[in-house]
Amino acid sequence: LKKAEAKVPFKRLNKPLDVAKILAFLCSEESGIMTGSIVDFDQTVAGWHSYSAYDTKILDDSILGEWANLNQFMKKNKIKNTGVEVTKLSFGTSSLGSMPDTYGYEVPEQRAQETLRRFFQGPVNMLDTSRNYAMGESEKRIGIAIKQNGGWPENYVLSTKIDRNMDTLVLDKKRTRESIEESLKTLNVNSVDVLFLHDPEYVKDINDVTKKDGALDELFKIKEEGLAKAVGLAMGKIDIMFPILK
């Protein structure tokens, strides 16, 4: 990190180029602090696009310097027994719905659509969203882009999440079914590739998730129905997550 600090102004991350350099560094072997195989770079895509800095090559060396060789992160990993293959870099879309209170900036509709059109050009192939990102605005904007694109592109991976009712905080079997149905309708698709059960640590009653015929059972039923190829958990508190996984 000290090596990076000499070249990257960490305190000025409002500039797209700075964010791009941070991303490239965190993806490099030098960083040694990667916490997972998927890195979120929603801010940087919009920034690179508007600055014409993300060209047809994979992160042009002239832009990102010594950390620009990210070809290894465009290699795909297989999700076992699903047929789904994802690039190690993915496109996260929470800010795409415009959440200025969270991120400190707004994302107008036009910029969101321009960013999504650029995403459809690759090379990253996985887009991740959630029913509750920006209270549904993220999925709404993505759904518009999918429709304008003539459908979800082949060999791309669409991921979304089952979310609690934000008014009642309930996440039970009924809400799980409602959430996926709302997502499919909003996204203008018949199914998704990856479906997560999202933030169960914040629900009103965790037993609604874990009990027999609860949210978790409904999640796997949704997969069995072919509405999702792969399912999983997306949450932050591992002390709650590991018991659920077992």
Side-chain angles (χ1 to χ4, degrees), residues 6-241:
K7 301 180 180 181
V8 180
F10 279 90
K11 294 182 180 180
R12 294 192 294 109
L13 293 184
N14 58 313
K15 294 186 177 181
L17 183 57
D18 294 343
V19 178
K21 288 181 177 180
I22 289 293
L23 169 69
F25 171 71
L26 292 177
C27 290
S28 71
E29 293 183 358
E30 294 177 352
S31 71
I33 58 171
M34 286 295 292
T35 57
S37 62
I38 294 179
V39 176
D40 212 14
F41 69 119
D42 48 339
Q43 292 185 52
T44 57
V45 170
W48 289 333
H49 181 87
S50 61
Y51 277 72
S52 299
Y54 189 116
D55 67 6
T56 55
K57 294 167 60 179
I58 299 175
L59 304 181
D60 191 341
D61 286 355
S62 65
I63 300 164
L64 300 183
E66 66 181 275
W67 298 325
N69 186 17
L70 299 185
N71 289 279
Q72 59 176 316
F73 295 100
M74 298 307 166
K75 294 179 180 178
K76 295 179 180 179
N77 287 329
K78 296 181 180 180
I79 301 179
K80 187 176 181 181
N81 299 327
T82 65
V84 177
E85 296 186 9
V86 299
T87 49
K88 291 185 178 181
L89 286 177
S90 69
F91 176 36
T93 61
S94 57
S95 65
L96 198 73
S98 193
M99 299 170 61
D101 291 342
T102 300
Y103 293 101
Y105 61 90
E106 294 185 356
V107 179
E109 174 73 30
Q110 181 178 349
R111 183 173 182 180
Q113 293 305 321
E114 290 174 351
T115 303
L116 287 163
R117 284 195 292 272
R118 180 59 188 86
F119 165 77
F120 288 144
Q121 297 175 32
V124 168
N125 82 331
M126 179 175 175
L127 180 148
D128 178 69
T129 186
S130 167
R131 183 66 208 126
N132 281 354
Y133 281 171
M135 301 304 289
E137 184 65 21
S138 174
E139 284 193 340
K140 179 181 177 182
R141 293 180 173 188
I142 295 166
I144 292 172
I146 291 173
K147 186 175 182 179
Q148 292 178 345
N149 189 61
W152 185 251
E154 187 178 359
N155 297 324
Y156 278 63
V157 177
L158 179 57
S159 168
T160 193
K161 304 179 186 72
I162 298 292
D163 272 298
R164 63 195 180 279
N165 182 302
M166 293 302 286
D167 293 324
T168 65
L169 303 183
V170 170
L171 181 55
D172 55 8
K173 174 182 178 179
K174 181 174 180 290
R175 175 56 198 160
T176 299
R177 180 62 60 167
E178 290 174 347
S179 183
I180 184 58
E181 289 178 351
E182 291 168 1
S183 289
L184 296 178
K185 181 178 180 180
T186 305
L187 292 168
N188 290 309
V189 296
N190 295 322
S191 64
V192 296
D193 298 294
V194 181
L195 182 64
F196 292 101
L197 192 145
H198 195 202
D199 288 346
E201 62 264 52
Y202 301 114
V203 302
K204 183 178 181 180
D205 187 350
I206 191 66
N207 289 325
D208 286 339
V209 174
T210 58
K211 69 182 182 182
K212 185 178 180 180
D213 209 26
L216 202 57
D217 283 351
E218 189 70 7
L219 177 70
F220 282 95
K221 184 178 180 182
I222 288 169
K223 179 186 176 184
E224 292 171 0
E225 294 172 1
L227 300 181
K229 296 177 183 176
V231 297
L233 291 175
M235 54 188 298
K237 295 185 178 181
I238 61 174
D239 58 324
I240 298 177
M241 179 175 67

